[in-house]
Amino acid sequence: MVLSLILGVAMMHSQAKLSPLVCPMTAEEVTASSASIDFAGTRYQMCCGGCPDGFKQDPTAALKSDKLKGKTVGTFLFDPITNARIEAKASKASSDYKGTRYLFASTEEKATFDAAPAKFVKSPTKEVLFCAVAGHAIKSYSAAGGYVDISGTRYYTCCTKCLAQLKADNKLASKAPEDQIKKPVAMDVPSK
């Protein structure tokens, strides 16, 4: 019980230190009800209706803006330790690193990440929104069950079962059609 209390207090303390999320176009604080765009597995909230189109035109350039330095701009949709999709409400801890908020399924995973974040954060230049294990397209980043980075390409899977199979056998990635290997794209967040 004491350990649970200590972990709970530590988690609340770590959550309290998080910076507010800002719009990648204006660097203004955003609200949970603002429009969102997913890009390269990260969700970016916009401050107003005028920002999504500009961001989608060139998200890479928008994210390199000097006005964003030292600010938290997006939330990664996957637990960087397990590579599985994670919802904010299901996360037990989070860390902000280089402008991105990372969510974790446990405080132990957060501690592992915080000890060496660069080890877990990669930005492949190509990705595959196609589950090579199950053999079908994945409609969006938020519909993916997880990802595996293989030779500079991020392969998304449709579910955690396929994620485990792809982690165990990277050769399964070769089943992804060549035309599915693309640069990351910015896309509207699917409505629920």
Side-chain angles (χ1 to χ4, degrees):
M1 179 159 160
V2 173
L3 180 59
S4 295
L5 181 60
I6 292 170
L7 285 174
V9 170
M11 188 175 86
M12 288 184 343
H13 178 67
S14 70
Q15 299 288 353
K17 293 191 286 185
L18 296 176
S19 303
L21 290 171
V22 300
C23 175
M25 298 303 290
T26 65
E28 293 179 24
E29 240 180 89
V30 294
T31 63
S33 63
S34 54
S36 298
I37 302 294
D38 289 347
F39 173 67
T42 300
R43 179 155 297 160
Y44 299 95
Q45 290 178 264
M46 307 294 141
C47 67
C48 66
C51 291
D53 288 340
F55 182 74
K56 286 193 283 187
Q57 283 179 0
D58 193 350
T60 302
L63 294 169
K64 289 181 181 175
S65 172
D66 286 340
K67 64 185 166 195
L68 298 177
K69 286 192 181 5
K71 300 185 186 246
T72 303
V73 184
T75 302
F76 194 53
L77 299 172
F78 303 87
D79 181 324
I81 304 299
T82 65
N83 301 59
R85 176 78 166 91
I86 188 167
E87 296 285 342
K89 61 186 171 205
S91 69
K92 304 292 185 223
S94 60
S95 290
D96 290 353
Y97 178 71
K98 291 191 174 183
T100 302
R101 179 158 298 148
Y102 294 92
L103 307 174
F104 305 97
S106 71
T107 54
E108 293 82 9
E109 288 179 3
K110 174 184 169 32
T112 299
F113 178 86
D114 289 345
K119 177 180 174 183
F120 301 100
V121 176
K122 295 179 176 57
S123 297
T125 56
K126 294 186 179 181
E127 64 184 19
V128 182
L129 276 167
F130 183 94
C131 183
V133 178
H136 62 79
I138 300 169
K139 293 181 183 180
S140 63
Y141 297 108
S142 59
Y147 71 89
V148 178
D149 292 333
I150 303 168
S151 301
T153 301
R154 178 159 291 166
Y155 291 84
Y156 290 95
T157 62
C158 63
C159 64
T160 54
K161 182 178 176 184
C162 289
L163 173 62
Q165 289 181 41
L166 187 56
K167 280 183 170 182
D169 184 2
N170 285 348
K171 292 177 187 169
L172 290 171
S174 66
K175 293 183 177 183
E178 287 291 319
D179 67 343
Q180 295 294 316
I181 301 171
K182 303 174 182 177
K183 289 183 178 182
V185 295
M187 58 182 72
D188 293 320
V189 173
S191 57
K192 293 182 178 182

